[in-house]
Amino acid sequence: MYVAVKGGEAAIRNAHRLLADKRRGDRSVPALRLDQIVEQLALGVDRVMAEGSLYDRELAALAITQARGDMIEAVFLVRAFRTTLPRFGYTRAADTGAMLVERRISATYKDMPGGQLLGPTFDYTHRLLEPEIAAGLDPETPESREADDGAMPRVTDILAHEELIEEDGAVPQGKPVADISREALEFPLERDARLQALARGDEGFLLALAYSTQRGYARSHPFVGEIRIGEIDFELDVPELPFPVPLGRIQVTECQMVNQFKGSAKAPPQFTRGYGLVFGQSERKAMAMSLCDRALRTSELGEDIVAPAQDEEFVISHSDNVQATGFVEHLKLPHYVDFQAELDLVRRMRAEARQAATEHKEAAE
Amino acid sequence: MREGADEQVRQANMATLARAPGERLKALWSDAKLETEHKIVRGPETGLVTVRGRIGGGGSPFNVGEVTVTRATVKLAGGAVGHSYALGRDKEKSRIAALFDALWQDESLQPRLATEVIKPLARELEAADTQTKEQTAATRVDFFTMVRGED
């Protein structure tokens, strides 16, 4: 039975008006502009783009402001906006080797072509709060040094010879590229569908799962083969032009995780790999993604499923924070009728239990 | 052959226009006084394009996520049709880029279009790339070995 209950319109209207007022906060404090958020809270913006699965910095900044800094609410807003736009197509697959590199490190190779470039990193900072930032002082101009224009090949390509490390992953020939935003998930998934889900997955959830593999729940002996951050050109094939049309550049973070592997019935002993590719500068997310990708390749590599991080249906079904928050948060919406029905049921069950106890007692006497 | 070279230049122009900051393109366009009568055939309209990467960097393609893209198509009185595509949601930038593409098909206009619009934009984009590369290069680790003991 469905019973519509009216009422609450005025309360909702006034609640939203109050929300808008609280969002603005103290009027004597200047209102934030979107460009301030894009420029100065850049990694928060990147996270909303990655998990919202929409690369558009200004929209992500608007979502963060509208959500009062609630990142999952902001991701939700971005996802909702996506559904209002028509689709123009799929880009050609990007070559991360041709990236304009802003950061590139390897924990496995000290000397590699192109070198180790730290870029704008939190690594090696002392994690001490810096009051001069609150004072709004301008930092020093960054140092510059002549750049050699040499190639910066992916570390995994340097390693590829000798078959000591497995090749870049392939899904079965002839299958169209999976698109989880167009088709419902059907387990088991191919790796392309899993990677798409992981790329938009919740950073906290994937981080915890990745950590669990390091603590022994599906240990994979990982090394960071390479992390690189930078901008890549993307091109789109369109019917009206005889060449792929350049769209501009997008910043991404790529992580190549290299894992020890003792071999199985399906694969020889060699280093296996997990892969992470995320919008923006999102190093932690890319690393967690690559660890989860490797853990989820259990069946492909003939390993036993012994830990949560290896359970594809568990990981992928719970990685999307918009779905997760929708289902958890819906519990606070009115369930008056549901609850009335449950209340009646419990009353009836108690009455029956009481009667059964009485009858039992009488029979015993 | 000649046609192939023309296409390459046209594609390179599109790349420059797509990457150009909208406000800068609008300023150059207005200074160049190249605005001319045209019919809007499509857009400018914003939509989604799905970005593809490759598993492991070089393996099978997979979908990473979506990006906003704005496109436009314009037609000049003489019949030339111009197209534009670029990341983002800047409709005026999209219209100007499509108009540029249409005007480019008139060879007599190419020198002006190149000098007053494409070259300044390309120069500025190149300078920004150089700055990124040089600032990144300054964060390059120069390993050295500490020698301990006498020999």
Side-chain angles (χ1 to χ4, degrees):
Chain A
M1 180 177 65
Y2 176 75
V3 182
V5 181
K6 298 283 279 179
E9 286 94 340
I12 291 169
R13 198 167 48 242
N14 292 343
H16 291 168
R17 196 160 152 176
L18 181 59
L19 166 68
D21 181 72
K22 291 287 178 190
R23 174 162 50 221
R24 175 59 183 86
D26 184 345
R27 299 293 202 282
S28 67
V29 177
L32 272 174
R33 294 195 320 263
L34 297 189
D35 57 349
Q36 291 176 310
I37 296 171
V38 168
E39 291 298 316
Q40 297 175 40
L41 296 176
L43 303 196
V45 168
D46 286 356
R47 181 165 181 180
V48 171
M49 293 200 302
E51 292 170 23
S53 202
L54 182 64
Y55 191 101
D56 188 316
R57 289 212 154 92
E58 201 184 59
L59 281 179
L62 173 60
I64 290 170
T65 313
Q66 189 177 328
R68 307 179 68 193
D70 178 336
M71 298 301 261
I72 293 183
E73 181 70 18
V75 169
F76 198 161
L77 291 168
V78 167
R79 288 276 185 92
F81 178 79
R82 273 164 48 103
T83 63
T84 65
L85 295 176
R87 286 172 175 269
F88 294 165
Y90 296 87
T91 66
R92 291 196 169 190
D95 177 10
T96 51
M99 177 185 280
L100 175 70
V101 168
E102 293 161 51
R103 169 167 166 79
R104 188 260 200 146
I105 53 159
S106 170
T108 54
Y109 277 91
K110 182 163 69 72
D111 300 304
M112 54 182 175
Q116 308 260 356
L117 300 158
L118 299 183
T121 182
F122 295 125
D123 295 351
Y124 314 110
T125 62
H126 294 104
R127 265 76 184 206
L128 298 174
L129 285 172
E130 296 173 32
E132 53 273 30
I133 294 174
L137 298 180
D138 275 335
E140 290 175 283
T141 314
E143 284 288 346
S144 289
R145 184 162 109 177
E146 202 181 330
D148 65 41
D149 259 339
M152 226 173 276
R154 287 186 296 265
V155 166
T156 42
D157 292 343
I158 305 170
L159 266 175
H161 56 85
E162 292 186 78
E163 295 181 358
L164 287 176
I165 184 165
E166 67 171 341
E167 291 181 355
D168 294 329
V171 297
Q173 287 273 316
K175 276 204 170 185
V177 181
D179 188 348
I180 63 163
S181 67
R182 312 293 283 160
E183 308 127 28
L185 290 177
E186 244 180 86
F187 296 101
L189 301 169
E190 291 293 348
R191 197 172 168 197
D192 55 355
R194 276 202 311 259
L195 286 170
Q196 187 183 5
L198 293 173
R200 60 157 78 174
D202 182 76
E203 180 172 316
F205 180 71
L206 298 183
L207 176 67
L209 284 169
Y211 181 41
S212 76
T213 69
Q214 288 182 283
R215 292 193 63 255
Y217 295 86
R219 190 183 292 283
S220 64
H221 304 275
F223 297 93
V224 169
E226 183 178 10
I227 291 170
R228 59 168 66 201
I229 302 174
E231 291 189 337
I232 311 180
D233 285 297
F234 282 89
E235 292 180 332
L236 179 71
D237 286 305
V238 295
E240 62 267 32
L241 288 166
F243 49 81
V245 57
L247 298 176
R249 285 193 196 150
I250 291 175
Q251 189 194 35
V252 295
T253 303
E254 181 187 51
C255 176
Q256 303 273 4
M257 203 63 82
V258 176
N259 307 267
Q260 203 190 77
F261 181 59
K262 64 181 193 300
S264 72
K266 286 188 180 174
Q270 63 177 177
F271 287 104
T272 56
R273 292 165 55 188
Y275 187 65
L277 187 67
V278 185
F279 283 157
Q281 179 171 345
S282 310
E283 195 163 290
R284 183 187 306 114
K285 165 73 181 280
M287 293 177 75
M289 176 176 172
S290 64
L291 286 166
C292 289
D293 173 44
R294 173 60 186 82
L296 291 170
R297 295 180 58 213
T298 306
S299 302
E300 179 194 339
L301 293 165
E303 297 171 319
D304 294 328
I305 297 180
V306 296
Q310 294 168 311
D311 184 334
E312 174 180 278
E313 194 164 343
F314 176 79
V315 173
I316 302 299
S317 303
H318 302 119
S319 63
D320 189 302
N321 56 23
V322 177
Q323 283 175 8
T325 204
F327 205 46
V328 169
E329 290 203 56
H330 102 281
L331 292 173
K332 68 192 169 184
L333 301 178
H335 283 67
Y336 307 135
V337 177
D338 281 351
F339 189 70
Q340 276 304 323
E342 295 274 316
L343 208 56
D344 280 352
L345 185 64
V346 174
R347 281 203 186 101
R348 218 166 37 241
M349 282 158 58
R350 284 174 64 89
E352 280 167 16
R354 218 165 25 237
Q355 191 171 358
T358 318
E359 280 167 11
H360 184 73
K361 202 174 154 200
E362 281 168 1
E365 284 165 4
Chain B
M1 199 61 221
R2 168 79 194 147
E3 194 171 293
D6 283 352
E7 277 180 9
Q8 268 182 18
V9 176
R10 193 176 169 201
Q11 188 186 27
N13 288 343
M14 285 185 169
T16 303
L17 293 168
R19 283 185 54 211
E23 296 315 311
R24 186 70 184 119
L25 175 60
K26 286 167 214 170
L28 284 170
W29 190 251
S30 132
D31 290 350
K33 303 204 169 26
L34 285 155
E35 190 63 36
T36 176
E37 233 173 273
H38 60 280
K39 210 175 96 195
I40 302 272
V41 179
R42 179 177 67 184
E45 58 182 355
T46 300
L48 295 178
V49 169
T50 304
V51 168
R52 281 193 172 155
R54 290 188 182 279
I55 301 174
S60 299
F62 72 97
N63 295 316
V64 185
E66 277 70 35
V67 59
T68 49
V69 167
T70 301
R71 68 181 177 190
T73 299
V74 304
K75 191 173 181 184
L76 302 182
V81 174
H83 304 287
S84 83
Y85 278 81
L87 298 181
R89 287 169 292 118
D90 191 334
K91 293 194 165 140
E92 177 61 3
K93 171 182 163 179
S94 177
R95 186 194 67 83
I96 293 171
L99 185 51
F100 178 101
D101 185 50
L103 291 173
W104 184 263
Q105 288 159 51
D106 177 350
E107 274 187 37
S108 68
L109 280 175
Q110 286 181 2
R112 249 184 91 195
L113 286 163
T115 315
E116 296 184 39
V117 182
I118 284 294
K119 282 182 182 162
L121 288 176
R123 210 163 36 234
E124 287 159 20
L125 292 168
E126 179 69 30
D129 279 4
T130 304
Q131 187 182 53
T132 300
K133 284 182 198 165
E134 290 182 351
Q135 290 182 347
T136 306
T139 69
R140 181 176 175 144
V141 182
D142 296 314
F143 290 103
F144 57 89
T145 312
M146 301 280 279
V147 181
R148 292 195 196 190
E150 292 298 306
D151 45 23

